[in-house]
Amino acid sequence: QVQLVESGGGLVHPGGSLRLSCAVSGIIFGIYDMSWYRQTPGNQREPVATIDPADRRNYTDSVKGRFAISRDNDENTVYLEMNNLNSEDTAVYYCHAAFMIGREEYYWGQGTQVTVSS
């Protein structure tokens, strides 16, 4: 049974910070690409940040310099540190695990709400 459980979302003022966590079980965590996606009502789910097994990172342009993705393979956990948040960051954030070599395997978490509001 594969589980991705997000935590750390909530309400924050503009300019504030949050750290999201995603605890993963049921897969060989260290060989998976881990990502954070986000989705707002009426829009497609979009990738925010990705970290691969070699710790190579990619970010969408709107979060570069503000967000940082990291992973702890000993704890099977991926994090998203979000700083200088603004209203455009308000969304449901989803944890995603992917293994794309050979038979494609991917999994989603249930999502955690982040609301940036004054």
Side-chain angles (χ1 to χ4, degrees):
Q1 183 179 1
V2 178
Q3 290 187 314
L4 284 68
V5 181
E6 299 100 332
S7 61
L11 176 65
V12 64
H13 294 307
S17 298
L18 286 174
R19 181 188 292 268
L20 306 183
S21 299
C22 174
V24 180
S25 61
I27 62 171
I28 305 173
F29 179 81
I31 68 171
Y32 277 72
D33 295 327
M34 298 300 303
S35 297
W36 289 95
Y37 285 67
R38 66 187 180 188
Q39 187 170 25
T40 55
N43 298 115
Q44 293 184 303
R45 194 170 297 181
E46 64 176 5
V48 176
T50 298
I51 183 168
D52 74 4
D55 283 349
R56 293 173 294 196
R57 297 165 170 85
N58 286 317
Y59 299 95
T60 192
D61 285 344
S62 64
V63 309
K64 287 180 179 177
R66 299 190 299 121
F67 290 12
I69 189 170
S70 61
R71 65 194 297 161
D72 186 337
N73 290 341
D74 292 331
E75 298 294 329
N76 287 6
T77 302
V78 62
Y79 303 94
L80 185 68
E81 178 71 32
M82 305 185 294
N83 301 304
N84 195 24
L85 288 159
N86 60 67
S87 61
E88 299 299 310
D89 299 316
T90 295
V92 178
Y93 284 72
Y94 296 89
C95 185
H96 180 265
F99 184 73
M100 307 300 289
I101 300 175
R103 178 180 177 271
E104 179 179 316
E105 299 181 2
Y106 62 92
Y107 305 95
W108 291 100
Q110 83 287 351
T112 185
Q113 176 71 48
V114 171
T115 302
V116 185
S117 177
S118 59

